[in-house]
Amino acid sequence: MESTNWLLSLITLSYTKSVFYLCTLICSCVTLLLIRQLLRQRRPRGFPPGPSALPVIGNILALATEPHVYMRKQSEIYGQIFSLDLGGISTVILNGYDAIKVCLSHQSEVFADRPSLPLFQKMTKMGGLLNCKYGRAWIEHRKLAVNSFRYFGSGQIMFQRISEECMFFLDAIDEHKGRPFNPKHLVTNAVSNVTNLVIFGQRFTYDDQDFQHMIEIFSENVELAASAWAFLYNAFPWLEYVPFGKHQRLFHNAKKVYDFLQLIIERFSQGRIPQSPRHYIDAYLDEMEQSTKDKSVSFSKENLIFSVGELIIAGTETTTNTLRWAMLYLALYPSIQDKVHKEIDSVLNGRPPTLEDKQRMPYVEAVLHETLRFCNIVPLGIFRATSQDTVVHGYTIPKGTMVITNLYSVHFDEKYWSNPGVFCPERFLDVNGNFVKLDAFLPFSVGRRHCLGEQLARMEMFLFFTTLLQRFYLQFPNGSIPTVSPKLGMTLQPQPYSICAIRRQQ
């Protein structure tokens, strides 16, 4: 009995010591992490000023709702160039046209890198196209993408195929026979099909369930990637081991998308003839084959998957949301819609639009430009980083510093826009009604990382918008007016709304 008690006492003592040592170890690790985090929060010498930050988490909580608006308000206090602490990640914020131009245009190469954020590393291993670090890999992938969009995404053949997609789009709307419907699904499918023509060489039908599901996941991830959870994950990557939270949903979605992309890449590469590319995938595989002996070349099957996914999402989100916002605002302002109808009828006289008609339709162009300005589809662009030490406006910005360009502040910069909070297409017209280009208009960003699909996007917007308004009059059902407050994410998209497309009498 005594020996048993002695053994139990020994076990209890060993267990108690183990728990004590474990708790001590955990407390020591947490203390070291906190010290490390606090040291990271110290601004480098000569760094731009900024608002005071909370210990450990910094200014992350301030970005939980409308971060672009918060940043613009802070610029009124600290100037066009200021800094935020995103959980120990010292970040420079560029606000207003002047600051963004001096950095992204005058020092284009310096501000062309991407930050090495844990989220990007987890999602794409800093590979692919959009998140690739500045250097040879980015140059190789950017050149291939630009050439592919130029070769497969322009010219008369591409124009005809977009025009055909417009007809599929209008016929799908016609099936609603003037009854209320949510336009998101149809607009997203129509727009994504234009990018699909470049990447895969063909379109997907609007009832292709697998592809539609992938697009829905993409859209959800665009929202999740700008959530507070994403910022917290970048600051504290050990959150990967926390089994709940939006970051886990993000990773789950990404895996599903990449698995699906791998399957359709294999499908559309079948029947490929080397050096006779039919689409972007063929062109990429050609580059892979040519560089098999050069191990420093970045073309790989994994980077192909990342690149295809990024091109689909980049080619879909901006144009889709622009058209959805345009439909909403035309229904909201019937007088603007009437002017659009008059110009379309006058110029086209019942025939389908051509690209040459853009020059003859200044008011249509003005409405599209005002939609891009007012709705700020990508308010913070895609995060950048400095590729080397630099000095801007007397501030020292070290190499590798994360940089956020607040494009929303450019489009609401009162130095360049009169009454920027008012939706007014006429601001893009001169006294004679001619369309005018304005400098402080950067929806596709600027510099080395500007949107490579800008020309194709502009062509899409014009053709989809013009053909839509040529056939239909847009109005809200029963006089109900949806909210114009955006759904927050990496892009600003409208909240779900219903609209009626009434056949016009021509």
Side-chain angles (χ1 to χ4, degrees):
M1 185 69 178
E2 290 181 0
S3 60
T4 303
N5 290 336
W6 177 84
L7 182 60
L8 288 173
S9 299
L10 182 62
I11 293 173
T12 302
L13 180 62
S14 299
Y15 176 77
T16 303
K17 285 185 176 180
S18 298
V19 171
F20 173 76
Y21 289 139
L22 179 60
C23 291
T24 302
L25 179 62
I26 292 173
C27 290
S28 299
C29 290
V30 171
T31 301
L32 288 173
L33 285 172
L34 288 174
I35 293 173
R36 177 177 175 271
Q37 199 74 11
L38 290 171
L39 288 174
R40 289 175 64 193
Q41 289 187 281
R42 297 175 61 183
R43 288 189 177 94
R45 180 175 296 180
F47 207 63
S52 57
L54 293 173
V56 183
I57 63 173
N59 304 110
I60 288 179
L61 294 181
L63 305 184
T65 58
E66 296 191 310
H68 52 292
V69 176
Y70 168 78
M71 292 176 185
R72 181 168 178 253
K73 289 180 179 178
Q74 293 303 308
S75 71
E76 296 173 359
I77 301 171
Y78 299 100
Q80 288 193 326
I81 301 177
F82 69 92
S83 65
L84 291 177
D85 173 10
L86 301 183
I89 302 174
S90 296
T91 305
V92 170
I93 314 298
L94 305 179
N95 286 270
Y97 175 68
D98 295 338
I100 289 179
K101 181 180 179 181
V102 75
C103 292
L104 271 55
S105 293
H106 299 168
Q107 297 193 49
S108 180
E109 189 169 350
V110 174
F111 288 87
D113 208 355
R114 290 287 189 231
S116 298
L117 295 175
L119 186 66
F120 292 164
Q121 293 170 355
K122 173 75 174 179
M123 300 281 285
T124 64
K125 303 177 183 178
M126 301 306 294
L129 176 63
L130 295 184
N131 292 325
C132 184
K133 298 288 290 181
Y134 183 67
R136 178 177 175 177
W138 175 77
I139 292 172
E140 290 171 345
H141 279 76
R142 175 90 178 188
K143 181 180 178 181
L144 175 62
V146 169
N147 289 340
S148 296
F149 271 83
R150 184 179 297 125
Y151 187 76
F152 302 114
S154 62
Q156 189 61 29
I157 293 178
M158 189 61 177
F159 165 75
Q160 291 174 353
R161 298 187 75 176
I162 296 177
S163 297
E164 290 173 4
E165 190 63 43
C166 288
M167 293 302 105
F168 286 119
F169 175 56
L170 298 187
D171 290 344
I173 293 177
D174 243 343
E175 292 180 6
H176 292 280
K177 301 185 182 302
R179 296 188 296 269
F181 72 102
N182 184 340
K184 180 179 180 179
H185 174 77
L186 292 180
V187 176
T188 302
N189 280 276
V191 170
S192 66
N193 268 339
V194 176
T195 307
N196 293 337
L197 293 174
V198 176
I199 299 174
F200 307 112
Q202 73 174 56
R203 65 186 297 275
F204 291 83
T205 61
Y206 296 170
D207 57 1
D208 187 313
Q209 297 299 316
D210 291 334
F211 188 80
Q212 310 319 319
H213 183 54
M214 185 191 71
I215 291 294
E216 290 174 4
I217 292 176
F218 268 140
S219 182
E220 183 181 12
N221 273 11
V222 167
E223 180 182 349
L224 293 174
S227 67
W229 271 101
F231 284 110
L232 286 170
Y233 179 82
N234 285 326
F236 313 107
W238 49 263
L239 285 173
E240 179 178 349
Y241 303 104
V242 175
F244 57 87
K246 291 185 177 180
H247 62 299
Q248 295 293 359
R249 177 72 176 176
L250 190 69
F251 300 148
H252 175 72
N253 284 349
K255 186 180 185 308
K256 289 176 65 175
V257 166
Y258 292 148
D259 288 344
F260 178 75
L261 288 177
Q262 184 173 2
L263 291 176
I264 61 175
I265 286 172
E266 292 173 357
R267 169 183 159 193
F268 285 101
S269 61
Q270 293 177 359
R272 166 178 163 262
I273 301 175
Q275 305 308 312
S276 297
R278 301 160 295 178
H279 39 62
Y280 174 79
I281 292 174
D282 279 358
Y284 195 104
L285 293 173
D286 283 345
E287 293 290 342
M288 279 181 57
E289 286 187 354
Q290 290 177 0
S291 58
T292 52
K293 296 181 180 180
D294 186 352
K295 295 185 178 180
S296 64
V297 172
S298 59
F299 295 110
S300 66
K301 288 186 177 180
E302 187 175 52
N303 278 336
L304 171 57
I305 293 172
F306 295 150
S307 297
V308 168
E310 290 166 349
L311 287 174
I312 290 174
I313 200 168
T316 301
E317 278 292 314
T318 301
T319 305
T320 292
N321 289 323
T322 301
L323 291 172
R324 290 175 62 209
W325 279 118
M327 293 174 71
L328 189 155
Y329 275 98
L330 286 189
L332 191 62
Y333 298 114
S335 61
I336 294 177
Q337 186 175 179
D338 289 343
K339 292 178 183 178
V340 169
H341 284 145
K342 287 178 181 178
E343 185 172 78
I344 289 175
D345 295 345
S346 173
V347 173
L348 300 182
N349 196 25
R351 64 172 173 79
T354 66
L355 290 181
E356 290 72 24
D357 291 323
K358 285 184 70 175
Q359 306 297 324
R360 304 168 59 202
M361 302 173 74
Y363 194 75
V364 166
E365 280 287 271
V367 170
L368 289 172
H369 279 67
E370 179 66 350
T371 302
L372 285 165
R373 181 202 72 83
F374 189 78
C375 299
N376 291 284
I377 312 300
V378 190
L380 300 179
I382 301 177
F383 296 171
R384 302 188 181 219
T386 47
S387 60
Q388 62 190 61
D389 295 347
T390 188
V391 176
V392 181
H393 288 184
Y395 297 123
T396 300
I397 304 177
K399 176 182 178 180
T401 300
M402 186 161 80
V403 178
I404 297 178
T405 55
N406 189 0
L407 300 179
Y408 161 80
S409 70
V410 175
H411 296 145
F412 277 67
D413 192 335
E414 294 181 351
K415 179 179 177 181
Y416 295 93
W417 306 100
S418 174
N419 297 321
V422 176
F423 187 84
C424 177
E426 282 75 13
R427 69 176 77 249
F428 286 94
L429 302 174
D430 64 17
V431 293
N432 297 316
N434 299 313
F435 178 78
V436 291
K437 295 181 178 180
L438 301 174
D439 291 334
F441 179 74
L442 304 176
F444 299 97
S445 193
V446 67
R448 300 231 171 168
R449 291 277 189 170
H450 74 277
C451 176
L452 60 86
E454 177 179 350
Q455 296 306 314
L456 179 60
R458 287 180 178 275
M459 179 165 61
E460 290 178 72
M461 283 183 230
F462 174 77
L463 290 175
F464 278 115
F465 182 79
T466 305
T467 54
L468 173 68
L469 271 298
Q470 185 180 33
R471 182 181 294 190
F472 297 109
Y473 179 82
L474 304 175
Q475 66 182 36
F476 297 124
N478 302 320
S480 62
I481 300 177
T483 178
V484 293
S485 298
K487 191 175 182 181
L488 299 175
M490 289 185 69
T491 61
L492 298 184
Q493 57 177 298
Q495 300 283 353
Y497 67 87
S498 292
I499 201 166
C500 300
I502 312 299
R503 268 275 197 168
R504 297 181 62 218
Q505 299 297 323
Q506 294 177 293

